[in-house]
Amino acid sequence: MGDRPLRADARRNREKVVRAAREAFAASGYGVPLDEIAALAGVGPGTVYRHFPSKEALFEAVVAARIRDLADDARRRADGADPGEAFFGFLGRLAGEAAAKRDMPDAIEVAGALRQDIFEALDLLLRHAQRAGAVRGDITAPDLIVLLKGLILSVQDTPQGPAGEAQRERLLAVLADGLRSPGATG
Amino acid sequence: MGDRPLRADARRNREKVVRAAREAFAASGYGVPLDEIAALAGVGPGTVYRHFPSKEALFEAVVAARIRDLADDARRRADGADPGEAFFGFLGRLAGEAAAKRDMPDAIEVAGALRQDIFEALDLLLRHAQRAGAVRGDITAPDLIVLLKGLILSVQDTPQGPAGEAQRERLLAVLADGLRSPGATG
DNA sequence: AACTATACGGAACGATCGCCCCGGTTAGCA
DNA sequence: TGCTAACCGGGGCGATCGTTCCGTATAGTT
């Protein structure tokens, strides 16, 4: 495609929009009005639409990097020496991230290539941990995804705002113990 | 207050509205347009507002009974002989109900006296099970509520619609095992 | 049957939000 | 410095949705 290089001000504005979107989505989830993002970026709504065809496209652009990071991390851990620790370590990271970023639940729903990517990475991580006997054998990757989504939502939708660190620790412990193979040591 | 008895047609319509709301909320969650509920009931939107001051009030009216039932069930089980079975049996019922009713997540958020009611019932159920050594001692009633909400959301927000019975069984097993005291028999 | 309080339906209002259009501005270049 | 293509801002459109208003219909009574 003929992507001519952007004019300097256009490039600057695009960057400002992405940065504002990252902040706004993380703070309030996908639901933030686009006008608010534009205002935070210090541009008009029209400018946002010059750079992204829709609000959803902007969200995907912002979230794609995070998802890719997550998947990469999962793959990296999966290659490590201790599959069990790799698995539960990843769970911990996910819980921590979810507590800080309010857009994680929506991020999981983002369709496209990312979906396949994260699925395969989780599948790998899970299988390794199961083969090593660290995780119960009866659950599947879709099960895991659903459980993680539940964990993410739990961690941030507490009646008094996001869960404190101590509570998050306990919730994570419950899920982790439930996923462990019966008889395996923690 | 001077609640004069309703006119016959008014009473009929109120009933139709409540029935339609029950169906619509269960099928699509709190998000269903009120006009849709009215259409399903075969009345105009104005009629709905004659009987309920707001959409939220209608939702509360519909959901209150279900919450009360749940709390009653929890209390009844808590008095039984086997606190462990009482606890885990309740979990199973909740999972089953959540799979069928799409408005469960919103229902949990309903404020007012019901909130206190269900909280106390769950607290009772949990404490008994903990005292009997069936459930790990480190979690609290707020933890449990958050976990249940996660379970409810997990059970119904699977990418391919509500979870199948087999998957629901597995998810429930993971949560239940995570909640069990270390070393307690299933 | 006539009368009136009560209730009904649905058009319309106001707010919200995603998205587009266009008159004005500016960057980049000669 | 002047020209033009690229870009910007923000007002505005159209859709959705909760809610209200009011002219009409009807239940209940005398």
Side-chain angles (χ1 to χ4, degrees):
Chain A
M1 304 52 138
D3 319 309
R4 209 134 27 89
L6 289 174
R7 233 170 64 174
D9 55 345
R11 197 160 34 76
R12 257 195 315 271
N13 275 333
R14 190 183 203 282
E15 191 49 39
K16 282 198 289 183
V17 166
V18 169
R19 227 192 318 268
R22 196 150 37 214
E23 259 184 66
F25 283 137
S28 320
Y30 182 72
V32 278
L34 193 134
D35 290 29
E36 206 167 294
I37 296 176
L40 185 59
V43 305
T47 301
V48 176
Y49 281 95
R50 171 166 304 273
H51 293 290
F52 300 92
S54 69
K55 184 187 177 185
E56 198 178 334
L58 173 60
F59 185 66
E60 277 195 41
V62 162
V63 148
R66 213 156 53 241
I67 299 278
R68 230 189 325 267
D69 277 0
L70 232 47
D72 285 348
D73 187 32
R75 268 187 290 268
R76 201 172 319 114
R77 289 179 197 256
D79 282 344
D82 185 339
E85 186 190 315
F87 182 84
F88 292 109
F90 181 80
L91 248 55
R93 170 184 169 180
L94 199 66
E97 199 130 333
K101 308 286 178 65
R102 249 188 136 51
D103 51 354
M104 279 289 286
D106 305 308
I108 292 197
E109 316 248 326
V110 172
L114 283 316
R115 183 158 188 84
Q116 187 67 10
D117 194 38
I118 186 78
F119 180 90
E120 283 170 5
L122 279 178
D123 192 50
L124 191 68
L125 197 61
L126 174 64
R127 274 188 213 287
H128 283 204
Q130 285 177 322
R131 200 163 324 138
V135 170
R136 60 196 297 162
D138 63 341
I139 71 162
T140 67
D143 291 350
L144 181 60
I145 289 187
V146 167
L147 284 168
L148 292 180
K149 196 173 158 193
L151 174 67
I152 288 170
L153 286 162
S154 298
V155 156
Q156 58 181 214
D157 272 12
T158 256
Q160 305 84 14
E165 201 175 334
Q167 183 175 33
R168 188 165 77 241
E169 224 46 66
R170 291 197 299 275
L171 299 178
L172 181 59
V174 169
L175 179 61
D177 287 354
L179 284 168
R180 241 180 280 280
S181 273
T185 16
Chain B
M1 343 305 191
D3 320 309
R4 218 132 21 92
L6 289 173
R7 232 170 65 173
D9 55 345
R11 198 161 31 77
R12 259 197 313 273
N13 276 333
R14 191 182 202 283
E15 191 49 41
K16 283 197 289 182
V17 166
V18 169
R19 227 193 317 269
R22 195 150 40 214
E23 259 184 65
F25 283 136
S28 319
Y30 182 72
V32 279
L34 192 135
D35 288 28
E36 206 167 294
I37 296 177
L40 184 59
V43 305
T47 301
V48 176
Y49 281 92
R50 171 164 305 272
H51 294 289
F52 300 91
S54 69
K55 184 186 177 185
E56 200 177 336
L58 172 61
F59 186 64
E60 277 195 40
V62 161
V63 149
R66 220 168 31 252
I67 299 277
R68 231 189 326 265
D69 276 2
L70 233 46
D72 285 348
D73 187 32
R75 269 187 290 267
R76 201 172 318 113
R77 289 179 197 256
D79 283 343
D82 185 338
E85 185 190 316
F87 182 85
F88 292 110
F90 182 79
L91 248 56
R93 172 186 167 178
L94 198 66
E97 199 131 329
K101 307 286 178 64
R102 250 188 136 51
D103 52 354
M104 278 291 286
D106 305 308
I108 292 195
E109 317 249 325
V110 172
L114 283 316
R115 186 161 187 81
Q116 189 66 10
D117 194 37
I118 186 79
F119 180 90
E120 282 170 6
L122 279 177
D123 192 50
L124 192 69
L125 197 61
L126 174 63
R127 276 190 212 286
H128 281 203
Q130 285 177 324
R131 197 162 328 136
V135 169
R136 59 195 299 160
D138 63 341
I139 70 163
T140 67
D143 292 350
L144 180 60
I145 288 187
V146 167
L147 284 168
L148 292 180
K149 196 173 158 193
L151 174 68
I152 288 169
L153 286 161
S154 297
V155 155
Q156 59 182 211
D157 273 12
T158 256
Q160 305 84 16
E165 200 176 334
Q167 183 175 32
R168 189 165 76 241
E169 223 48 65
R170 290 197 299 274
L171 299 178
L172 180 59
V174 169
L175 179 61
D177 287 354
L179 285 168
R180 239 179 281 280
S181 274
T185 17

